[in-house]
Amino acid sequence: MDGYRQANGGMRHDYGATGSTSSKRQRMPTVHEALPYTPLSSIIPFTPDIIPPPLALPTTSASAFASSADIQNANRILEQLSAGATSAESASKRCQQTLQDVRRLLDPNSLTSYTFKRMRPSHTNNGVDKGRKTQPLGLSRFAKMVFENTQIPYRYLTPESPEPEPKTVASRPLLPSSAQHNGHTETPPSQHRKVQAVVPSSLTPAQRAQYQYVPDTNTLAGAQYVTPSNRSNPPITDASRLLNVDQQQKGGIAVQNLQNCLQEIFEAEDGLEPDSADALPANAKSLFATRNIGDGSVAVLQPEVQSKLEGCVYKAASCGRLQDIEVEHLTRLQKLCEVPIAAFETLSLRLGEDWSEQNVDEWLLRMGTVESGVVAARTLIRIMIGCASQKELQSEDALRGVLETLNAVTEGCLVPIVQERALLRERLRGEKGDPPANPKFVIASSHRKAIVSLLNAATKSLRLLGDLLVKTDFDETAISKVETLCKTLIFAENANTEKDSSTGIQNFETMRRCAMDVLAKIFTKYTEQRQYIFDEILHSLEKLPATKQSARQYRLSDGKPIQLVSALLMRLVQTSATRSNEALKLRSKVKNEESDGDDEDSNESDESSDEEDIKVSPTKATGNNNDLVSLISPLHAAAEHNAKYIVHVLVTRALSTSKSSEEPYRKLLDIFTEDFLNCLGSSDWPAAELLLRALVLRMMGIVEETNPVPSRTFALELLGAMGSGILELQMVARDAARSIDAAESPLASRLRDMVTQLETGNLDVRDVLAFDGPYRVVIEYLEERSTGEDPQLKTARGYHLMQWASSIVSGREGSADSVSNDTPRSTESIQAKLKHMLLDPQWLDQHGGVDKLSTSSGRLAGMILTLNLPFCKAFNKLFSILLTSMSSEQSTSTVKSRSLKSVVTLLEKDATILERNSYVLSHILRCATDTSPLVRDSALGLIDKCMSLQPALSATVYRQIIARSHDAAIGVRKRAMKMLKEIYLRNNSTTIRSAIANAIIARIGDTEESVVELARITMEEIWFQPLYGVKLDREHAVQAKLAYGAQVALVIETVERSDDVAQVLEPLLRRLLTESKAKAADANALVCRTLVVILFDGIIDNSDIPGSPSQDGILRSLTIFARASPKLFTPTQLERLEPYTQNLSTSDDLDIYRSVITILRYVLPHQATMNQAFLGNMQLTLLRSITRLQKTELNEVAPCLWTISTIINDTQRLATTMISVLLQIFNVRNDDLAADEQKALKIIRLVRIAGEFGNACDFEDFLPDFKKKLSWYNGDSASGLIVEILCSFTSPKRPLAVRTAALEAICTVSQAWPKQFMRADVSNAFETVFKDRVPSLEEVLCGGLEGFFKAQESPEAADDAMEAEGGIATGTERLGRTYVATDKDGASVAMAQRFLPDILRLALSSCDETAFSAARLVVSINKQGLVHPKESGPALVALETCPNKAIASEAFKEHKSQHEKHESLFEKEYMRAVQRTFDYQQQVLGSPFGSFGQPPTSKMHLTWEVLKIAKAGVRKKFLSNMVQKLDFDPSRLDTVSAAPQQLMFVRFCLENLAFFEYDRIDDLLQLLTSLEKLFAGTGSSVAQAIESEVLRLDVDGLMGSAAVVNGTSETLQPDPAPAPATPDVEPKRLRQLAFSSQILTLLWETRTFLVRLWNMQKHMKATKKEKDTNKAPTRATNAPTFTEAYLKNIGDVSSALVDWDSQRSMCSAFAELISVDSEVKVGSEEDADAELANGYDTPSESTSRKSPSLPPSGGGRGRKRKSIGASNTPRKRGRPSMGKKKSTATGKHAEDDNGDDGWD
């Protein structure tokens, strides 16, 4: 273009100089003379003034440039194009593109053709023209390229040349290149001719002043032409006036309009002057109005006139022609504008609540006046901006008035109106209807148009004020005022919804954004204000709304709303990383002093500051001070420093508050974090990554260092949120890469590959830092969008450039050569290019840019850059910290739970973490076994989440979940069962399903009824419901058979897993088949019947059952169905079992035999018809095998034989067999069985047969047959005969084995014939057993008695299922065993009353099977109500503490049942129960402590669970009585043993009280009051005794001594004299006092622990009316720390006092404890947590209360309690109630600051 401009300029000059060889100089024609020869000759203009007068300057042409800066910019572009225009082939892309554009512009078909009339020359001199030599082209390389590649035919239009001639450029004079200057050409001296300006007479004086005489061109050869302005100012360059015609015309019109407007206003104003000679103009009133100011009035412009004037000034200023107005006129205009500003100062714009219509009308008038003043202020600002070089127009008073105007409008009108809401208050909970309307809001909404008009006017003025800040320098006072104004707007609370906004949300948001821009401009230009701006913003955060909806009104380009303050902070950080204009000025000044200022780069303009229009030209770097490192280091350091400072302030304030606090800092930090995460990856907000980087480092430090638990949980929560943000960005980048079309361009393909490499971790950093990499893409993407000089995008560009350069020069990345170009480019080359880009924002244009950029490519490049920065790279460490905190032994349960929740957050965001990090699952599983139930429950929730995301994990983790199904915590058990159910339904593996079914079945025996019910429901849902409606005889028979086969295999494997499963599964099946809803019961029965069919088929051929189970397993499974519901079987199925009763050669055969007999025993009585031959064969077979059977098999064979015999009506054979057995036993009654072992074994076998058949068979009809063979018997029953014979073998003289068998057989027979229990010989045998205390005999006896009592709990227990299924259908079903009701009742009562003490002794003597059997006996006796509840109630409470869970479960269930029935009776026995429990724990279990496990659990926690269902009065009485039971008399304490029994009992009780799970505040208050009362009562007397007997304190001396001034316990110490050689008190008395001190100290430790653990401070201080005691207390967040410290302290206090020194030290410590109120000491929460980290030395009720633990800590002393009266008589000592402390300043502070609130 440069060359083109030169060529055309030369052509026009040559054409104008034709015929100039004459000596006579031709006069240049005037406009009127030249007009007929122009195309305008056909159009007669109305006035010749519309054509600007020509200047008599040679080679001048219309310029498209408005200022010298534009010319310099164009020159720089041309130089860049020339640098790349070596040739058309090798030129840069930009050169080629520009060449094409120029050629298109010069296309003849698109050019306008002008036809001029040519004047005939006076004479010609063709010889001169022919002899003129063609000069070489003096063009730049780019101009030459244009010239050579452009064809433009032209011709002179003359009558003789009708056809155009080809272009002959060389025939005309050309300008040498040396004549170029700043992109313009000058005519060589030889080609200049003398010209003289012709000034037409028709010009106005103002126009005539524009002209000056131009001397002869020969005298000005090579000089730069200058043109003076219309004022005596320094000359400006001609380029400043070289406007194109359109712009010049517009500017002239704007100036003329402004002059006309001013003339009209000034004339009217002159008419208003009192001393004016002229008459008052007629239009004065239409231009001016009168406003009252103080005592007088002034004339101000009418609002519409003021607006018109503002429009004229705006147009003139926009054309850059404001300086064409006389200074005097502008000065007068400024004064005129200051009048309405001054008039506005006395007006009030605040709305009133009870205004009338007249008040509103007056307010509207004031609004119009104020708006006129704001417009006048804007006019003032425009004049100051447009005439920045005119010092006389830069008035400080005017600026002050503008600031006061904007401030008054903002604070006095706009902000109060914006903050008004539709309702006077928020709606209360439960309130019907809306609260009253806000009258101010109603007025404002009704006149929204006027308010919005004022709002817009103020916004425009504020925006102009920002421009003025850039143009001129303000003093510090003005800057402070602007900052205050901006801060007021930024922190004003906008409405949440449009209905609550009287102005419209976005209208005010526009003004707030304008305020943000102005503040950012101050931050940019005035670097010394940066710290102050940060402080003002950060210290005003409490003004921000703490709700996310209210806070987020600033919308990003992608539509996500964030806080305006968040955007401001990020923008300020980005500004810090962008080269500042002020810094450049200082640096340039220094460099200019050191250099000669004539470097080749002096014309390069530096990148402007963020919002400044002034360009600063940096000097060329000298030495190493201006290399890339020195340029980048201060920018990088400033950005990092500012980001860290912001994060430090935000985090520090957030740590001092909680989420529940009224202060918003904690919530605001959450909002800020979310805002930064919303901007993460955005190319417009790169500072978000730096702020998050600083935040994540701070949070990691908090977690890894020793910090309070609330701080760590707070940090873990934020880490989880930030980790989720990183994963979100990764997913967005993946989606963006997939959505982008790789074929779109090579750039898109490279970006897509980079995302893939980022996922795999194979991304080469050199590709990221390459010159044609994503950094350049982002920068050019920002430049393309910054068409309107968006300051925000400028800061983003500057930050990216700084980050790019910083990564290059840091040395971490190594070479950053690009791999996309054949030419290798080293890091040094990139550094050089980055330096040029830093110094010159336009430098990058010469490289032609990357491929055509799309929005998707630009955004994706920004994401890639962010993912490659330290914040996103820190994800692995962040995740590792979460996992470590989740499973670390040093972490508390709260920290672990918070870590688990954060991990859940990450997994919910991206489940692929589990695939990429295999160690995650191991950490989670470790947490599932944590000591804290909270952590275990959270871990299960996390495992459940993992399985939902990756179902395949269930096969890995189901065992760990099964382990949690029997967790100590009820909630954990329930969650585990629900998870197991889901795993069961998702997996088809028989092994997994069997294990899960086994675990759920085991929960049917749980102590918690809700768990039991859940287990039952779950089993029905997983075993039966899937088979509803599935039948084997339908079209889908194959699928049905497979389904049933799988279920059968599952049942078999479940049964084989454990012997206990059958005991639980049997009642479960019975319940499902009988007690379910009718429809479900029928469906369940159908499923079970089909399962039985499959099982029987499997006995013959097990191949149809998956896994081919063994016959033993199949038969064992059938026994369960037989016991549960005999009607499921058919006679045909039973007949199949006959072969399995024949062979008993191996142990396997015996197992099968036992199962078959069991099935026959339970099923045969319920079969209506059976094959008689089959039954006869079975009878013979079984009779032949009875002598070879053990007791277990005999127990099944005997009833089976009796049933078969009764069905076939052949009982005589059994009677004969029984008689034979009895005869053999009777015949050896006098033999010495101890001497003959074989005979003893035979007798044992016979005794067992007699016992089992005596129980199963009714031989009463055969009594004569018995007496015939045993004639000595005189009794009246066959059972009596059997028992009488057996009793002779229970003598202690018999061998133990024989005695055991006989005792067992007697119990077995008596269970069927209860009358035998009341025989004297039987009772004597039982008494002998209890007397001898032989364990094996006691076990047998308890087992026998248990069987009897269990049978009596529900009469006819054996027939329960039968009756439930519809009663006895046939007579055959009546053949079961029969009992006599009267004998049962009598025997039960007699046995219970006679042997209960011995049974209780056995139950409380151990935890073995005997104790378990005895415990079940106790439970059974209580269930039947055979004894008074108080006799066994304390034993049940003690048994609840048994470590054998089975015993504890049985005792708990019965205790709960008895308490519900006899609450008043149990209430009186609880203290005896506590004592018995302590004795049981100490004497039997050897553990006198009151808690167990980790975390500690109260041993009496089951007792407390029972009390929770009791009345509140019973519960409170229990607590009071338990505390009262701790009272003691020091003189009666045991001083012989190392640890008195009373001390051990107190510790046992206190530990139980400490670890009860309280669910009501009033229970805790009752307990704490009782503890304080006991401490004050007994403690006072003990303390007095210690002071008088041990410490030997002289009361008189103390009263007169000055040592009591300090009021500390040190005054209680004796003078520092040598300790006496012998004790001052008797050893026995000292031990009594020491033990008393131990007990009381334990009591106070427990009281303090409870206060801290349950956050009872505020409840204890509340008045009675304020106490909300029905609510549950809240546990402290750092409860594990308190618990650990408490256990340590009570262990230290309870340690043995072995010598005199330790005893005396104990007494002294207690004296100080009761004398000094250490809880008055006040400290910070951090101090308290720091002390807690070292132990429970300083538990505090409020902030940092000192503990009474021993020895006392040295963290400061409390207030000494006065205990000596004025009469020198010691008064009663007592610790005052905690709720009635003496009111002091310190105490009040302690009361007010008593929260231990955390963030969870």
Side-chain angles (χ1 to χ4, degrees), residues 738-769:
R738 284 193 292 266
S739 63
I740 198 171
D741 185 6
E744 174 184 330
S745 64
L747 172 63
S749 177
R750 278 194 296 149
L751 294 177
R752 187 171 183 174
D753 293 341
M754 284 186 177
V755 174
T756 305
Q757 293 168 2
L758 270 173
E759 292 181 2
T760 59
N762 298 326
L763 179 62
D764 191 346
V765 180
R766 294 176 296 180
D767 295 338
V768 178
L769 299 179

Side-chain angles (χ1 to χ4, degrees), residues 23-55:
S23 59
K24 182 179 178 181
R25 183 171 58 190
Q26 185 177 4
R27 179 180 61 84
M28 181 173 289
T30 64
V31 175
H32 293 283
E33 294 173 342
L35 188 59
Y37 299 97
T38 67
L40 301 176
S41 59
S42 61
I43 302 174
I44 302 175
F46 295 102
T47 172
D49 293 339
I50 63 173
I51 301 179
L55 295 177

Side-chain angles (χ1 to χ4, degrees), residues 1400-1634:
L1400 291 175
R1401 175 183 59 80
L1402 289 176
L1404 295 171
S1405 61
S1406 65
C1407 297
D1408 55 12
E1409 284 299 320
T1410 303
F1412 184 33
S1413 182
R1416 285 185 291 188
L1417 259 178
V1418 174
V1419 170
S1420 182
I1421 291 171
N1422 277 275
K1423 279 185 178 180
Q1424 300 176 55
L1426 302 178
V1427 295
H1428 196 280
K1430 71 177 183 180
E1431 295 184 19
S1432 57
L1436 290 174
V1437 174
L1439 290 173
E1440 286 176 341
T1441 65
C1442 180
N1444 188 328
K1445 293 184 178 180
I1447 296 176
S1449 175
E1450 291 288 342
F1452 169 69
K1453 291 178 181 178
E1454 185 57 28
H1455 175 203
K1456 184 177 181 180
S1457 175
Q1458 291 294 319
H1459 181 91
E1460 292 173 346
K1461 298 175 183 177
H1462 313 287
E1463 185 177 48
S1464 58
L1465 294 177
F1466 262 83
E1467 175 188 356
K1468 301 175 182 179
E1469 298 298 321
Y1470 272 125
M1471 291 306 103
R1472 193 159 63 93
V1474 172
Q1475 183 64 53
R1476 190 154 193 175
T1477 302
F1478 170 71
D1479 296 338
Y1480 174 63
Q1481 288 289 324
Q1482 184 184 39
Q1483 299 171 9
V1484 178
L1485 304 179
S1487 176
F1489 308 117
S1491 63
F1492 70 96
Q1494 187 63 34
T1497 304
S1498 169
K1499 288 185 176 179
M1500 297 183 68
H1501 69 283
L1502 293 178
T1503 304
W1504 183 248
E1505 292 298 322
V1506 174
L1507 286 168
K1508 284 183 179 180
I1509 65 174
K1511 298 177 181 178
V1514 174
R1515 203 164 46 250
K1516 292 181 180 179
K1517 189 174 181 180
F1518 170 81
L1519 294 173
S1520 300
N1521 291 342
M1522 193 167 180
V1523 173
Q1524 190 61 34
K1525 196 171 180 63
L1526 305 182
D1527 202 0
F1528 62 94
D1529 183 358
S1531 61
R1532 297 184 179 181
L1533 289 177
D1534 177 22
T1535 59
V1536 178
S1537 59
Q1541 189 74 5
Q1542 180 67 17
L1543 176 63
M1544 303 305 297
F1545 177 73
V1546 167
R1547 179 174 180 179
F1548 173 81
C1549 294
L1550 289 176
E1551 286 190 28
N1552 276 289
L1553 292 172
F1555 297 118
F1556 281 161
E1557 292 293 331
Y1558 299 95
D1559 56 3
R1560 289 174 62 94
I1561 293 175
D1562 55 352
D1563 293 339
L1564 274 168
L1565 290 174
Q1566 178 69 28
L1567 174 59
L1568 294 173
T1569 302
S1570 301
L1571 290 171
E1572 291 174 357
K1573 183 178 179 181
L1574 176 59
F1575 182 85
T1578 306
S1580 297
S1581 59
V1582 172
Q1584 289 184 15
I1586 290 173
E1587 291 178 354
S1588 59
E1589 300 179 32
V1590 179
L1591 301 180
R1592 299 285 185 178
L1593 297 180
D1594 185 359
V1595 177
D1596 295 335
L1598 284 175
M1599 291 300 297
S1601 173
V1604 295
V1605 175
N1606 293 330
T1608 65
S1609 61
E1610 295 173 354
T1611 60
L1612 302 178
Q1613 302 298 331
D1615 295 336
T1622 59
D1624 297 334
V1625 65
E1626 294 182 2
K1628 179 179 179 181
R1629 180 59 175 167
L1630 181 61
R1631 289 179 63 83
Q1632 288 178 344
L1633 293 177

